[in-house]
Structures are given as structure tokens and as C-alpha cells.
Amino acid sequence: MTGNKYCVGDVVRLSATFELSSVLTNPTTVSLCITAPDGNSGYVSPIINDSTGKYHYDFTAPIVGSFKYRFYGTGAVVAQAEKSISIDPV
């Protein structure tokens, strides 16, 4: 893996930051949904709380293609953000 290029089998750190009025804040619950290139999606765990308002999930890239992922925060901070990553052949 070099820079932002990922290959099948790489572990990719997916991360999110949650803020309330520009202050890092933990949501009451955090969830993460990943959508595969074929359109199938599912929620994953465990999501790790690194510090106040900062979370990550280590995703092992199973196949080639573009994956979309969305972190959701509910409760104390209601927010969501979608990003994507591209996985290349080995």
C-alpha cells in the first residue's frame, strides 16, 4: 500500500470525527455501514473510540472495486458522513 492506494487484502483505517458546535464530542452511539462494489451493504463492528469525538474501524479489503462507507452518530451528536475508497488488484 502506498499513499491512498489500497490493494485486496490491505487493512484500511476508516475514520470519523464528530463535533458539536466545533467541539469534539462523542455521540451516544456510533455505527458504520459499508457498501461493496456490487451494492451489498452491512453494518460492521467493533468501532474503536480513539479519543473524544474520534472513531475508527480497520477494514480488510476483500475484493477489487469502489467501497462506500458511512459513519452514523446518534444521541448527543447526530451526524453522518459518507466517503469512499478504491481497492486495486494485488
Side-chain angles (χ1 to χ4, degrees):
M1 171 178 70
T2 358
N4 288 333
K5 290 189 155 267
Y6 305 105
C7 294
V8 171
D10 284 349
V11 176
V12 182
R13 178 150 293 182
L14 309 179
S15 60
T17 300
F18 294 93
E19 296 180 349
L20 183 61
S21 301
S22 300
V23 176
L24 289 169
T25 306
N26 286 341
T28 305
T29 59
V30 175
S31 57
L32 170 61
C33 183
I34 298 176
T35 303
D38 64 5
N40 286 320
S41 62
Y43 287 86
V44 296
S45 64
I47 300 167
I48 306 300
N49 182 204
D50 298 309
S51 62
T52 302
K54 295 185 178 194
Y55 293 80
H56 82 267
Y57 174 77
D58 288 332
F59 172 67
T60 302
I63 59 172
V64 171
S66 180
F67 288 80
K68 293 179 184 175
Y69 64 97
R70 183 181 296 250
F71 281 90
Y72 295 90
T74 60
V77 179
V78 178
Q80 57 182 309
E82 184 172 288
K83 297 179 183 177
S84 64
I85 55 171
S86 184
I87 307 300
D88 295 328
V90 176

